[in-house]
Amino acid sequence: LGTAWSAISCLLETGRTHQIRVHLTSIGHSIIGDPTYTGHSKHYDTLLKTLPFDRQALHATSLSLKHPKSDEEMTWTAEAPSDMQSLASALKSADDEST
């Protein structure tokens, strides 16, 4: 998507965001807005200060689990929240300006 950023999809087995944060940072692809594992995402610090975005750029599009009593498979889905959508728009605009 971007010249220095990408939107990716990860499948977690544990449901822990730490799993994504550590592994992506270890390969040089830290998550924008992550205060602990900053790495490459520092490139966007200035942009982030102009937006109402003060968290990790992580969003669970879907969550599935088996109900503990009925053993029924349950799934919930959610669109990206407005702050995440604003971030994506700002990143795309920044890319357009730099090319």
Side-chain angles (χ1 to χ4, degrees):
L1 286 171
T3 56
W5 63 276
S6 297
I8 63 168
S9 178
C10 298
L11 179 61
L12 289 129
E13 293 186 20
T14 65
R16 308 256 337 197
T17 61
H18 180 77
Q19 182 182 31
I20 298 171
R21 295 164 62 209
V22 170
H23 290 296
L24 288 177
T25 300
S26 75
I27 60 171
H29 299 286
S30 54
I31 295 170
I32 293 173
D34 190 331
T36 304
Y37 301 100
T38 55
H40 183 67
S41 68
K42 286 183 180 183
H43 176 77
Y44 298 104
D45 284 352
T46 303
L47 176 65
L48 288 175
K49 289 177 185 173
T50 68
L51 300 170
F53 194 86
D54 59 354
R55 63 185 183 93
Q56 301 160 11
L58 289 172
H59 171 67
T61 309
S62 67
L63 172 68
S64 297
L65 56 87
K66 284 190 176 186
H67 190 279
K69 290 188 178 181
S70 69
D71 207 34
E72 175 189 359
E73 183 75 23
M74 304 180 81
T75 300
W76 295 267
T77 60
E79 294 293 320
S82 60
D83 66 340
M84 185 83 67
Q85 292 176 24
S86 296
L87 174 62
S89 293
L91 290 166
K92 288 174 188 174
S93 293
D95 278 348
D96 291 343
E97 291 173 11
S98 68
T99 56

